[in-house]
Amino acid sequence: QIQLMESGGGSVQAGGSLRLSCTTSGDIFSRHCMAWFRQRPGKEREGLARISAGGGVAKYADSVMGRFTIFRDNADDTLYLQMNSLKPEDTAMYYCAARDSLMCQTASFTPAMYTSWGQGTQVTISS
């Protein structure tokens, strides 16, 4: 099973940017569709962006469309989330997730459809 580890979280002011990374090991990264989720205190886990195994298809939640970009480097077995124009409401724990499938279309943003998760990285945006 693929193992995931997020990094890149931190504290920035509103309007700033962060890039999250998700390094992987243990299985063939390029066979997995990948996604980023976040969870705010007292809230359910929210899907933000997902990308196909080959990187050619990416989908975004409305809340981050135009501000966040998901991409992957299959040569380095790493997933990224570039986050721009950050807002205080983006404050959350961010998780990467993997599904052993070339496409994420069936899984959509349903957490239970993803079989591997990282431990999360905290993002805090101050106003």
Side-chain angles (χ1 to χ4, degrees):
Q1 188 172 8
I2 195 168
Q3 285 87 48
L4 312 176
M5 185 170 67
E6 303 91 342
S7 62
S11 298
V12 299
Q13 289 190 324
S17 298
L18 283 172
R19 178 176 291 184
L20 305 184
S21 300
C22 174
T23 55
T24 73
S25 62
D27 201 351
I28 300 174
F29 179 61
S30 60
R31 289 184 182 173
H32 291 73
C33 73
M34 302 292 295
W36 286 98
F37 288 76
R38 69 185 177 193
Q39 190 161 18
R40 290 174 274 197
K43 302 290 188 181
E44 292 186 352
R45 196 162 290 192
E46 173 191 10
L48 305 175
R50 62 182 191 260
I51 189 166
S52 60
V57 179
K59 301 292 184 183
Y60 297 90
D62 290 343
S63 58
V64 303
M65 181 81 72
R67 300 190 299 123
F68 290 11
T69 302
I70 187 172
F71 59 103
R72 62 193 295 163
D73 184 340
N74 282 356
D76 271 347
D77 297 342
T78 303
L79 175 74
Y80 298 95
L81 184 69
Q82 177 67 42
M83 306 188 296
N84 299 329
S85 303
L86 285 161
K87 306 174 182 180
E89 52 264 42
D90 293 319
T91 295
M93 186 71 78
Y94 283 70
Y95 300 90
C96 60
R99 174 175 170 82
D100 190 1
S101 171
L102 296 181
M103 298 296 291
C104 290
Q105 185 174 359
T106 300
S108 187
F109 287 131
T110 305
M113 298 295 282
Y114 292 83
T115 53
S116 298
W117 292 83
Q119 294 298 306
T121 185
Q122 177 68 37
V123 171
T124 303
I125 312 302
S126 58
S127 58

